[in-house]
Each structure stands twice: as C-alpha cells, then as structure tokens.
C-alpha cells in the first residue's frame, strides 16, 4: 500500500496534486515553519499548521486531533476537497509530514501521500521552488469519514493495555527513563509491556524512509498479528512515521495514540515502568 512517493513522481504530477507543507519543529528549535513556507516552498503548496490551527482548541495537550466538523472546515479553507490528491512534506526530510498524513487518513482522505525525503529531496532533484508571496486557494468542500481503527485515546488504551501491542518510538534513553522528558511535569519511563523502536531508526541520514529490507528486520518484529498495534511517541507526531512505514511496506493497520507520552506520563494514575 503506497504511502511514500518520490520527488520525481511529484514533479510529473505537480499540475494535478496539491503539495502540503506540514513542517513543525520541537519547541526548543528556533525556526519558524510558517515563515519558511512563505519564503520557500514547492509550487502550489499550502501550509498545514497542526500545531497552532488544525488542532483541538479545547485540549490542554499539544496539537491533538480535532473533531470531524472543524477538520473539514480547516481543510476547505485551505482549498482542499476530500477527493483531491495530496502530497505532504516537511523541511527536515521525514519528521512532521507523517503527522499530517495520519490526520488526513484518520479522517478518511484516500489519496494522500508523503514526499520521501521531503523538501531537501525535492531541492536535490532540482524541483521548482516558489518564493513569491503565497496566494490562497479557492475555498473547497471537504467531507470526512472517520476511521476509528487508526486512532487511539488514552482512556481506552489504559483500560485495555494488557491486550494491546504498544510500540514507543521515543529515543531509548527516554523510553527507559534515563533521560528526563522535555515537557515539565511529565514522568519518565514507558508503559508496561511496551517495546521501543526509536523513530530515528526509520529513516536514513538524508531523511529518506528506510528500505523494505531494513523495515522487515527493524519494524516487522514489533508488529503483532493478534493484538491491536498502537504506536506512541512524545506528543503524537513521530509516532505517525511508524504508522506510515508499517502501512507502506506491510499494509498493517497501526493506531496512533494521539496524546502519547505527554498524556500518559502526565496522568498520575496510569502505570509507568522505568526498568528494561
């Protein structure tokens, strides 16, 4: 099931698809993703702001999935219709683009892909770059069809943890509680029974997704045929990379725990393990 497309694939279809810039940086990184999109983007690209705009405004957690009605409103305002073909990318290669891909997929958008290698790959292939002031697209009609098997909430996970297959993609030091969490007030460690597969192992040094051969030895052993596969990270962003890789190579349905460790580690009554 194809998820990732190449820069060459996109270049051949640039007139018929909508590029979507979903760049996002960790809070401690001094870069402005919106400003960078305004100054340098793939021609026709819209900006998908899941951190400040396309998120649940009622949640205290960062960039949580919003309800279907508001998601449809945001997409329509971007000029995106539910039947459009989207290619999502980010400026780091493969980092935050997967979050926007997952949000669209959980809302039922069929034709949405991730640009392998992101904007760096596009520029390396000598793809066109637009640095003129962005022009808004004509507002469109967007319809959602929520896919519950792609989504996991904290209460359900806590209630059924024993029968879930949880894969945590945070760095190993955070998984085992050897390093503090970057967000204040969040406990260190991991969920009982969870396995660790750091998201950095899912890409090569250039920001391209790993090969199928590498995925078979790295990813496949973590996936279950009998339990619900749930992937978690720090705040629901890098977990989506594993969901995309598992779907691309193995057609595995993997649910993303939206609140991830920011929610779980901040909940005093949910169990936390620190030892391996």
């Amino acid at each position: 099931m194809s998820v990732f497309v190449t820069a060459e694939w996109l270049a051949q279809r640039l007139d018929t698809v909508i590029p979507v810039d979903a760049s996002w940086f960790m809070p401690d990184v001094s870069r402005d993703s919106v400003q960078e999109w305004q100054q340098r983007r793939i021609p026709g690209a819209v900006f998908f702001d899941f951190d400040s705009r396309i998120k649940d405004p009622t949640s205290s957690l960062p960039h949580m999935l919003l309800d279907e009605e508001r998601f449809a409103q945001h997409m329509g305002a971007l000029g995106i219709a539910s039947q459009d073909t989207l290619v999502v990318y980010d400026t780091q290669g493969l980092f935050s683009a997967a979050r926007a891909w997952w949000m669209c997929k959980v809302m039922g958008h069929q034709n949405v892909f991730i640009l392998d290698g992101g904007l760096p790959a596009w520029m390396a292939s000598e793809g066109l770059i637009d640095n003129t002031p962005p022009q808004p697209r004509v507002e469109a009609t967007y319809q959602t069809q929520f896919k519950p098997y792609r989504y996991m909430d904290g209460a359900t996970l806590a209630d059924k943890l024993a029968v879930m297959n949880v894969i945590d993609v945070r760095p190993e030091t955070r998984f085992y509680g050897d390093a503090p969490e970057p967000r204040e007030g969040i406990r260190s460690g991991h969920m009982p029974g969870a396995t660790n597969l750091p998201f950095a192992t899912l890409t090569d040094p250039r920001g391209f997704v790993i090969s199928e051969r590498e995925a078979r030895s790295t990813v496949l052993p973590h996936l279950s045929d009998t339990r619900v596969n749930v992937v978690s990270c720090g705040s629901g962003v890098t977990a989506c990379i594993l969901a995309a890789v598992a779907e691309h190579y193995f057609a595995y349905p993997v649910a993303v725990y939206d609140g991830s460790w920011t929610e779980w580690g901040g909940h005093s009554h949910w169990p936390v393990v620190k030892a391996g």
Side-chain angles (χ1 to χ4, degrees):
M1 186 176 298
S2 180
V3 172
F4 296 95
V5 298
T6 65
E8 291 74 21
W9 186 96
L10 175 58
Q12 294 170 4
R13 297 164 177 82
L14 199 56
D15 292 338
T16 59
V17 306
I18 302 176
V20 178
D21 188 332
S23 299
W24 173 76
F25 304 105
M26 293 290 288
D28 58 347
V29 177
S30 299
R31 291 177 64 178
D32 187 325
S33 55
V34 177
Q35 185 179 68
E36 291 187 16
W37 162 75
Q38 293 171 335
Q39 296 173 345
R40 186 177 64 183
R41 63 192 177 278
I42 295 174
V46 298
F47 189 77
F48 190 100
D49 190 350
F50 65 76
D51 189 53
S52 300
R53 294 182 58 81
I54 310 176
K55 67 170 189 174
D56 181 1
T58 68
S59 177
S60 61
L61 298 170
H63 42 248
M64 292 300 95
L65 189 70
L66 70 177
D67 62 75
E68 292 183 71
E69 181 179 357
R70 280 182 284 193
F71 184 86
Q73 290 172 349
H74 280 291
M75 295 296 276
L78 286 175
I80 296 174
S82 35
Q83 67 269 24
D84 286 331
T85 298
L86 312 179
V87 176
V88 190
Y89 70 92
D90 63 59
T91 55
Q92 300 180 74
L94 176 55
F95 182 63
S96 56
R99 172 70 187 187
W101 167 84
W102 172 76
M103 291 175 70
C104 291
K105 295 298 286 187
V106 79
M107 290 295 180
H109 200 116
Q110 293 187 346
N111 298 317
V112 53
F113 305 95
I114 298 172
L115 178 59
D116 194 14
L119 188 62
W122 176 259
M123 297 178 67
S125 71
E126 299 185 351
L128 297 173
I129 291 293
D130 188 356
N131 56 13
T132 63
Q135 300 300 313
R137 293 174 55 86
V138 176
E139 188 166 345
T141 299
Y142 193 92
Q143 296 178 326
T144 62
Q145 189 177 7
F146 191 76
K147 306 295 183 183
Y149 67 90
R150 294 184 179 274
Y151 173 85
M152 181 60 62
D153 66 274
T156 301
L157 184 57
D159 184 53
K160 300 181 178 180
L161 185 61
V163 296
M164 299 285 185
N165 178 49
V166 179
I167 309 159
D168 190 322
V169 301
R170 290 175 300 153
E172 187 178 63
T173 53
R174 288 171 60 189
F175 179 80
Y176 288 113
D178 296 329
E181 286 298 303
R183 290 179 171 84
E184 188 176 350
I186 307 300
R187 296 173 296 166
S188 298
H190 61 269
M191 300 172 214
T195 61
N196 184 221
L197 180 60
F199 71 88
T201 64
L202 303 175
T203 60
D204 69 15
R206 300 173 301 160
F208 287 87
V209 66
I210 56 175
S211 68
E212 182 176 356
R213 179 183 59 81
E214 293 170 308
R216 285 194 176 278
S217 61
T218 303
V219 176
L220 203 53
H222 287 268
L223 299 175
S224 173
D225 290 324
T226 58
R227 293 182 291 165
V228 175
N229 293 294
V230 180
V231 61
S232 178
C233 59
S235 63
V237 176
T238 55
C240 300
I241 300 175
L242 177 55
V245 172
E247 184 160 328
H248 181 71
Y249 287 128
F250 312 119
Y252 264 81
V254 176
V256 171
Y257 173 23
D258 199 23
S260 281
W261 196 253
T262 300
E263 179 179 35
W264 191 278
H267 198 297
S268 61
H269 298 297
W270 290 346
V272 169
V273 177
K274 285 193 175 183

